Amino acid sequence: MKKILVYLLWALPALGIAQELNAPNGAFNLQFSLADGTPTYELSLNGTTIIKPSTLGFELKDTEPLLTGFSIVDTKTSSFDASWNPVWGENKTIRNHYNELLVQLKQDKTQRLLNIRFRLFNDGLGFRYEFPEQDKLTYFVIKEEATQFAMAGDHKAFWIAGDYDTQEYDYTTSKLSEIEGLMQQAVTPNASQTPIGKAAVQTALMLKSDDGVYINVHEAALVDYACMHLELDSKNLIFKSHLTPDARGDKGHMQAPRTTPWRTVIASKNAGDILLSNITLNLNEPTAIEDTSWIKPVKYIGVWWEMITGKSSWAYTDIPSVQLGVTDYSKLKPNGKHAANTKNVKKYIDFAAKHGFGQVLIEGWNEGWEDWFGKSKDYVFDFLTPYPDFDVEGLKTYAKEKGVKLMMHHETSGSVRNYERHMDKAYQFMVDNNYNAVKSGYVGDILPRGEHHYGQWMINHYLYAVKKAATYGIMVNAHEAVRPTGLSRTYPNLIGNESARGTEYESFGGNNPDHTTILPFTRLIGGPMDYTPGIFEPDVSQYNPNNNSWVNTTIARQLALYVTMYSPLQMAADLPETYEKHLDAFQFIKDVALDWDQSLVLEAEPGDFVTYARKEKGSNNWFIGRTNDEIPRISSIKFNFLDKGKDYIATVYRDDNDAHYKKNPKAYKIEKYRVNSSSKINIPCAAGGGYAISVMEVTQPNALKGLKRL
Ligand code: NOJ
Ligand code: CA
């Protein structure tokens, strides 16, 4: 009898009976089974279905697919619980706590092996494929990954169009079933490069079910593999993975042993839990950099917004074409609009030094900007040769004397082999000239022609650049690169990414007023964003009469973004002369911390509002930020996170009562209060508004005199 039982237990998985895995606290339940030999999983949260039975596998090029005909060779379960400290982050300590199920499969007919590893955390699921070393499968080419995410209802979705080359879209909010019909208008001309069409969307995808469950689908640890989109079968509401192809249409060149990135599903009844989840980071490897002492969060200003608005230019001249190494710039007539000239850069360095900014970004310093974009030029920049009016040596000394570092700008213009050829020299040039961080950029079509920003080839390039930069002690802030997947845990010198529609689009026609209430639930799930907030002059025509764009937020909300858009790299993007006019509000940007002991979400609803409170690393000061969509609302918060028995001064930077993002964006009010852990406050938020609060511990009782207690 006992023998039969043992045999049965052993045989159950092979018969396709489900394997089960529960989260450490029991909230999530995962079932794995072989339905007619096809690997299938489903996920529930406290009995509510999050993912309906969904199949797993691959279509391969020139060989049989890895989709069906499997049997289970073995399964293993284990548990893990350990905490770790990120070099920088939203929390000082992160707990990595999960139960794991490893399913080892064999495709009977081909004898090929495929493992699937599931990790169930208290806030969601991560799983990946593993191709073990084996005789029957070594080199292979992926035609498509066939991972399904079958939705349990026609959820509300916050989505951007699937695209192989850009994420710089406005978000659309709609039912899943409406995505296909809305796709054409979601593909905005100024963002789209290679839209996939159909009902394909990008991750991190944010969803909300009719019964109020928030669900997020993304990926973690995207290494040597193509970026995943999700293609919806609109009728059955099943998403299927859609990888970015290479120039030949292939989706992945593989050699076993190899693992894929993790696919993640975070879910909760509470929207704030999605924002606070650490699943993406936890599924990445610990830091690969031994000495991280040189990696430091930094606040910066830059010679930038004046070009983005069209007030000034990156280019030195107005001639339409240059040939690098041939064109003699000293013989060309300057256009009089070149911003990266020594005098102007000194003005920014002075401003940074005066107001305590660590860094100054300078764009347009190097030769080549006359015809940098859209010409498919291979040798477009050399990252070494300054324009004649930019004094590298002089500025190096000037910045050093003022205690300011410089942020290098490497616009590759998509000519990536050219960048790789120059990379060592370019990084050494930075080290020699007081630059310890680089903002890189990948505008335009990729060279080699036919490759995409999100294909395996480019994924490998981005990481190559980050690893190489680390050997020079350089931090990387990559724009137009693939959206992050938590890799900054392993390579914390990857200090920033854009990879979404940033503030620059406020000058290219504007962002939707609810944009910053969605980004934390989508783009920021993978890692920080260099959103470049801090615009105090919403009327862009004040800088460039030919540009009638309008920045769709109030000033108070611009301050909030330093808290709600987490990043260890924060820019104050507007011009020094504009900040000089609003030094009272600018004080918040000067005060706000960049690195945190603890982060809390006080209020959150994607598309409507987000309120964070964060405790500064190593101090007792807190900073609170609230971003609000186009509907005026009252925010009600409690200060019960403060240490009991301590007094603090709360400085509230809020929308004035008549503020409005279109009609009256500059109307803000600054109020000071005395607060402790039993204080609470109601703050009106304007349409497109919000607020920021600094909460500073009081050490001098005198400082509290005359302040109203909340
Ligand atoms: C696009 C980037 O997002 C922007 O910040 C930069 O100034 C331009 N490219 C030029 O490199
Ligand atoms: Ca960009």
Side-chain angles (χ1 to χ4, degrees):
M1 183 64 195
K2 215 173 169 187
K3 255 191 176 164
I4 294 174
L5 209 70
V6 170
Y7 174 77
L8 258 181
L9 278 177
W10 175 83
L12 284 179
L15 292 171
I17 309 292
Q19 304 287 307
E20 202 179 33
L21 184 69
N22 289 310
N25 67 0
F28 279 99
N29 174 272
L30 172 98
Q31 306 270 341
F32 175 85
S33 61
L34 283 178
D36 288 337
T38 302
T40 305
Y41 76 104
E42 57 186 289
L43 180 71
S44 64
L45 169 61
N46 295 319
T48 304
T49 303
I50 303 295
I51 304 286
K52 293 206 297 186
S54 298
T55 58
L56 299 163
F58 292 88
E59 292 167 46
L60 302 183
K61 191 178 175 186
D62 299 332
T63 182
E64 284 204 46
L66 282 165
L67 291 172
T68 189
F70 287 99
S71 55
I72 293 180
V73 178
D74 200 1
T75 63
K76 290 184 182 127
T77 53
S78 60
S79 294
F80 186 85
D81 188 6
S83 292
W84 58 282
N85 301 317
V87 174
W88 43 260
E90 298 181 82
N91 292 288
K92 187 178 166 193
T93 305
I94 294 175
R95 185 174 179 191
N96 187 7
H97 187 196
Y98 59 82
N99 289 336
E100 179 174 289
L101 168 68
L102 174 66
V103 186
Q104 297 175 299
L105 302 168
K106 185 191 265 177
Q107 193 174 38
D108 297 328
K109 195 172 138 204
T110 64
Q111 295 290 295
R112 294 177 302 185
L113 306 175
L114 173 66
N115 297 345
I116 307 172
R117 193 181 295 270
F118 296 94
R119 287 187 182 164
L120 209 44
F121 301 78
N122 288 340
D123 45 357
L125 169 70
F127 64 92
R128 73 175 181 195
Y129 301 92
E130 302 182 355
F131 302 95
E133 198 168 347
Q134 55 190 295
D135 296 340
K136 305 286 182 202
L137 187 71
T138 307
Y139 299 101
F140 57 104
V141 178
I142 295 175
K143 201 162 140 200
E144 190 58 278
E145 180 183 319
T147 304
Q148 289 185 345
F149 302 86
M151 299 289 108
D154 192 8
H155 305 324
K156 185 179 183 184
F158 302 85
W159 57 276
I160 54 174
D163 193 306
Y164 298 145
D165 285 287
T166 185
Q167 295 226 320
E168 297 184 357
Y169 285 103
D170 266 322
Y171 282 87
T172 303
T173 304
S174 78
K175 289 275 186 195
L176 287 172
S177 57
E178 294 165 344
I179 291 178
E180 202 162 345
L182 291 168
M183 187 54 71
Q184 221 175 345
Q185 71 193 66
V187 177
T188 42
N190 54 350
S192 69
Q193 284 199 321
T194 318
I196 299 172
K198 304 180 223 170
V201 297
Q202 306 209 30
T203 76
L205 173 68
M206 187 66 207
L207 303 160
K208 185 182 182 185
S209 75
D210 282 347
D211 40 358
V213 182
Y214 300 87
I215 304 166
N216 187 281
V217 183
H218 190 38
E219 66 178 309
L222 172 56
V223 178
D224 199 3
Y225 199 82
C227 164
M228 177 179 71
H229 296 79
L230 297 173
E231 195 179 320
L232 184 68
D233 163 352
S234 302
K235 195 163 145 254
N236 299 303
L237 301 180
I238 299 174
F239 280 112
K240 208 183 112 193
S241 50
H242 178 125
L243 301 181
T244 306
D246 69 12
R248 294 192 300 195
D250 298 331
K251 300 210 162 180
H253 281 257
M254 308 287 280
Q255 180 186 356
R258 180 74 71 83
T259 59
T260 68
W262 296 89
R263 278 68 188 91
T264 60
V265 181
I266 308 168
S268 175
K269 273 261 178 193
N270 184 350
D273 291 346
I274 308 291
L275 301 177
L276 295 176
S277 170
N278 287 308
I279 282 186
T280 322
L281 286 173
N282 277 331
L283 289 170
N284 276 272
E285 297 299 318
T287 179
I289 300 173
E290 232 166 79
D291 172 15
T292 56
S293 59
W294 52 276
I295 301 171
K296 296 217 163 61
V298 66
K299 228 177 270 176
Y300 74 103
I301 58 165
V303 181
W304 181 72
W305 188 241
E306 55 180 292
M307 284 93 91
I308 291 288
T309 54
K311 176 186 194 299
S312 315
S313 72
W314 284 272
Y316 174 73
T317 75
D318 279 341
I319 64 156
S321 128
V322 296
Q323 283 200 46
L324 225 57
V326 177
T327 303
D328 181 353
Y329 273 93
S330 64
K331 299 217 167 82
L332 298 177
K333 188 170 164 279
N335 64 10
K337 284 173 69 183
H338 181 230
N341 64 73
T342 305
K343 187 166 164 241
N344 195 35
V345 175
K346 279 188 176 168
K347 186 184 90 180
Y348 279 82
I349 294 173
D350 290 345
F351 185 82
K354 183 169 160 204
H355 294 287
F357 285 78
Q359 205 138 33
V360 175
L361 161 75
I362 307 127
E363 296 201 3
W365 66 278
N366 55 331
E367 289 184 359
W369 285 90
E370 281 67 21
D371 55 354
W372 68 285
F373 164 56
K375 308 288 189 297
S376 200
K377 274 175 79 168
D378 183 9
Y379 187 36
V380 54
F381 295 113
D382 69 5
F383 314 97
L384 295 171
T385 312
Y387 278 132
D389 58 349
F390 184 81
D391 175 7
V392 175
E393 272 294 320
L395 287 168
K396 165 185 165 183
T397 313
Y398 193 78
K400 258 205 179 137
E401 279 168 12
K402 298 257 171 176
V404 173
K405 290 265 183 195
L406 301 175
M407 190 189 291
M408 173 54 75
H409 186 224
H410 287 168
E411 174 55 66
T412 68
S413 174
S415 184
V416 176
R417 282 289 294 118
N418 177 55
Y419 188 35
E420 289 185 353
R421 282 195 293 264
H422 287 91
M423 201 175 264
D424 274 296
K425 272 194 192 143
Y427 286 164
Q428 188 56 50
F429 179 82
M430 286 178 57
V431 173
D432 295 342
N433 290 293
N434 195 30
Y435 295 77
N436 67 341
V438 61
K439 170 177 171 179
S440 54
Y442 297 88
V443 170
D445 291 345
I446 298 296
L447 263 80
R449 294 178 189 91
E451 289 299 336
H452 292 293
H453 283 74
Y454 305 153
Q456 185 182 17
W457 195 87
M458 281 303 291
I459 302 305
N460 289 343
H461 163 78
Y462 304 129
L463 191 55
Y464 174 76
V466 169
K467 285 184 183 175
K468 191 169 267 298
T471 67
Y472 287 87
I474 289 171
M475 298 183 276
V476 176
N477 167 23
H479 279 226
E480 293 87 39
V482 72
R483 76 279 190 279
T485 55
L487 275 176
S488 58
R489 177 180 179 187
T490 317
Y491 305 99
N493 67 315
L494 176 57
I495 195 136
N497 270 120
E498 181 195 44
S499 317
R501 193 179 177 93
T503 297
E504 62 185 5
Y505 277 84
E506 300 280 17
S507 176
F508 310 155
N511 289 342
N512 286 339
D514 67 356
H515 193 55
T516 54
T517 70
I518 298 174
L519 283 172
F521 290 97
T522 52
R523 164 62 184 74
L524 273 79
I525 295 296
M529 177 170 178
D530 185 30
Y531 188 71
T532 70
I535 303 301
F536 279 15
E537 178 48 76
D539 179 1
V540 178
S541 72
Q542 295 295 318
Y543 297 142
N544 172 10
N546 299 321
N547 186 344
N548 56 13
S549 297
W550 189 264
V551 183
N552 285 327
T553 89
T554 64
I555 286 188
R557 179 163 87 178
Q558 287 294 304
L559 301 180
L561 299 179
Y562 290 89
V563 184
T564 61
M565 298 287 286
Y566 166 67
S567 177
L569 186 73
Q570 288 284 13
M571 184 181 203
D574 214 326
L575 307 189
E577 52 268 39
T578 298
Y579 289 133
E580 298 284 4
K581 290 185 206 151
H582 299 280
L583 285 176
D584 53 353
F586 187 60
Q587 188 61 40
F588 182 82
I589 303 181
K590 291 170 68 170
D591 290 341
V592 69
L594 293 163
D595 204 11
W596 310 99
D597 272 343
Q598 196 190 349
S599 292
L600 305 170
V601 175
L602 306 184
E603 302 166 303
E605 182 61 33
D608 293 351
F609 52 84
V610 175
T611 313
Y612 272 101
R614 303 187 195 266
K615 181 174 171 292
E616 179 174 21
K617 197 174 255 179
S619 98
N620 281 322
N621 298 334
W622 287 77
F623 295 87
I624 304 172
R626 151 84 173 212
T627 176
N628 196 58
D629 70 351
E630 68 285 356
I631 298 170
R633 299 169 196 275
I634 307 265
S635 161
S636 303
I637 58 164
K638 292 187 182 134
F639 292 83
N640 54 5
F641 46 83
L642 297 177
D643 282 354
K644 297 227 160 21
K646 279 194 180 140
D647 278 312
Y648 299 78
I649 293 179
T651 310
V652 180
Y653 303 78
R654 68 169 179 91
D655 296 320
D656 208 344
N657 298 339
D658 55 351
H660 185 280
Y661 73 102
K662 280 262 186 248
K663 289 180 256 170
N664 201 8
K666 288 187 186 170
Y668 59 84
K669 231 180 161 169
I670 302 174
E671 293 161 344
K672 273 190 198 299
Y673 300 101
R674 170 181 184 166
V675 297
N676 63 23
S677 61
S678 45
S679 302
K680 42 188 180 204
I681 189 171
N682 295 329
I683 308 181
C685 302
Y691 61 79
I693 311 178
S694 62
V695 188
M696 310 290 210
E697 189 188 2
V698 174
T699 41
Q700 296 284 333
N702 272 349
L704 293 167
K705 257 202 191 141
L707 287 185
K708 189 176 156 200
R709 187 189 275 282
L710 281 184

